[in-house]
Amino acid sequence: MDVLTKFTFVIACWAVTFITVADCSNYPSEMSGDSARKLPSAVIPVSQASTLGSFYSLSLSSLFPEDLDEYCIELLRIYRQRYVTYATCLVTYARPVKVCQNCYTDFNSLADIYKNISSDQPGPGNVSCHDSLMRSDRLMLLYALFSQLDEIWTSAACKQCLTKEQEALSNDTVYFMTTLNQSLSCFEQYKKNHSELCKDCKASYKKLKALYGRMDKNQTLCIDLEDAMNITQQLWSKNFSCLLPREETVPVIAVSSFMLFLPIIFYLSSFLHSEQKKRKLIHPKRAKSSNSLMNIQDKFN
């Protein structure tokens, strides 16, 4: 190998010192032609790349001051665990929607730890984590993350299906689920005979619809019950092609018929009233003319 080739190889090894593990003390074996001038490719083994990345990560981390108290670090760890648990519950019971009846415990746990973090009241050791965890960055990431999940909980109106303390399902919710299961059990029993289903399950389905209407009026519905009722209605009307006669049909028909015949009644009454007026106006004229005729006859007599 000539001197120029050796010099070029050494310079190339210096250029890739931080991204290659090639042994620059060993020159390529003697080869003829252009292949003798090929340099080793800059390939980083996986183990070396991991070591290199860890080196820079540790170097950068060592530059940041450790400004969190151990108590705040523990709160942050608990917040992370409970956040993941609640988010996992939401995804698990997203379809069909059963988040209110299955995730209220996880939500309460997350809300409790968030309340501790966001509180200005000092904890053990007279330490408050509010500023260091909640306001240390522009995004206020912990607040933003909790707000998103809390908005989902509020939009789902889960409080309306739970007790006041959100520790259990309300009595109305339990009764609705019981009534719903009765209808679904009836559907399951007659699912192969739709004509029998529409006849034998009508009473339970009608009871369910009436209960849903009362709960809607009393604002005791949440997304779980709304979604369950929507699915049941689709089964009844679309899948089984059943129709439930509406009780308000008769009053609507009666009122519509009255409104339809109202103009006829108005014109008829107006016509009769005008005829009576004509008779009253004509009668005095006839009486007056007959009296005048009698007076004239008396004069001539």
Side-chain angles (χ1 to χ4, degrees), residues 6-294:
K6 292 182 179 181
F7 179 76
T8 304
F9 179 79
V10 172
I11 295 299
C13 286
W14 288 348
V16 295
T17 299
F18 293 100
I19 60 173
T20 186
V21 292
D23 188 358
C24 296
S25 61
N26 297 326
Y27 300 128
S29 57
E30 297 290 340
M31 291 181 293
S32 61
D34 296 335
S35 59
R37 302 182 183 276
K38 290 183 180 179
L39 300 177
S41 58
V43 178
I44 306 177
V46 176
S47 58
Q48 181 69 14
S50 301
T51 304
L52 188 62
S54 302
F55 171 78
Y56 283 112
S57 177
L58 291 173
S59 299
L60 292 176
S61 299
S62 62
L63 297 178
F64 291 98
E66 189 66 29
D67 57 348
L68 289 180
D69 184 81
E70 291 184 0
Y71 172 68
C72 300
I73 294 176
E74 180 64 15
L75 288 182
L76 188 61
R77 183 188 66 81
I78 297 174
Y79 180 89
R80 180 186 70 243
Q81 291 179 345
R82 295 184 180 182
Y83 188 95
V84 172
T85 301
Y86 174 57
T88 302
C89 185
L90 290 180
V91 175
T92 303
Y93 296 102
R95 195 73 248 152
V97 183
K98 296 181 180 179
V99 295
C100 298
Q101 52 189 310
N102 291 295
C103 302
Y104 63 89
T105 302
D106 297 331
F107 176 79
N108 291 337
S109 299
L110 178 62
D112 288 342
I113 191 63
Y114 178 79
K115 184 178 180 180
N116 290 337
I117 292 176
S118 59
S119 175
D120 291 328
Q121 298 297 327
N126 201 27
V127 175
S128 175
C129 304
H130 178 266
D131 292 335
S132 59
L133 293 181
M134 299 294 297
R135 297 183 177 180
S136 59
D137 60 277
R138 178 177 60 83
L139 287 178
M140 295 192 296
L141 194 56
L142 297 184
Y143 166 78
L145 291 173
F146 179 79
S147 297
Q148 291 177 358
L149 295 189
D150 184 61
E151 183 180 356
I152 294 175
W153 186 259
T154 303
S155 300
C158 288
K159 290 183 178 181
Q160 298 182 172
C161 284
L162 303 172
T163 58
K164 186 176 181 181
E165 296 79 12
Q166 293 190 179
E167 295 178 351
L169 296 176
S170 65
N171 294 333
D172 291 340
T173 302
V174 174
Y175 181 66
F176 179 87
M177 297 304 298
T178 303
T179 308
L180 174 67
N181 289 334
Q182 292 175 355
S183 294
L184 295 180
S185 298
C186 188
F187 291 172
E188 183 68 22
Q189 182 179 358
Y190 296 100
K191 64 179 180 180
K192 295 183 179 180
N193 191 339
H194 292 181
S195 60
E196 291 295 326
L197 184 148
C198 297
K199 181 177 65 174
D200 293 342
C201 301
K202 182 175 67 175
S204 61
Y205 179 72
K206 186 177 179 180
K207 179 181 177 182
L208 178 66
K209 283 201 66 176
L211 176 61
Y212 182 84
R214 290 196 301 270
M215 294 181 68
D216 186 21
K217 185 178 180 180
N218 297 333
Q219 295 183 350
T220 55
L221 291 175
C222 60
I223 188 62
D224 292 20
L225 307 189
E226 293 174 3
D227 187 68
M229 191 65 199
N230 288 337
I231 295 175
T232 308
Q233 287 178 336
Q234 290 180 4
L235 289 174
W236 176 264
S237 59
K238 185 177 180 180
N239 293 45
F240 305 136
S241 302
C242 298
L243 295 176
L244 188 65
R246 301 174 64 91
E247 295 181 356
E248 61 270 19
T249 302
V250 175
V252 169
I253 294 176
V255 173
S256 301
S257 301
F258 176 77
M259 296 299 294
L260 179 63
F261 286 100
L262 188 61
I264 300 175
I265 297 173
F266 173 76
Y267 285 115
L268 183 60
S269 60
S270 299
F271 175 76
L272 295 176
H273 185 68
S274 62
E275 287 294 326
Q276 290 179 357
K277 275 191 172 183
K278 287 180 180 180
R279 291 177 181 178
K280 289 182 180 180
L281 291 175
I282 293 172
H283 181 70
K285 290 181 180 179
R286 290 179 178 177
K288 186 177 180 180
S289 60
S290 59
N291 291 334
S292 301
L293 181 60
M294 290 177 63

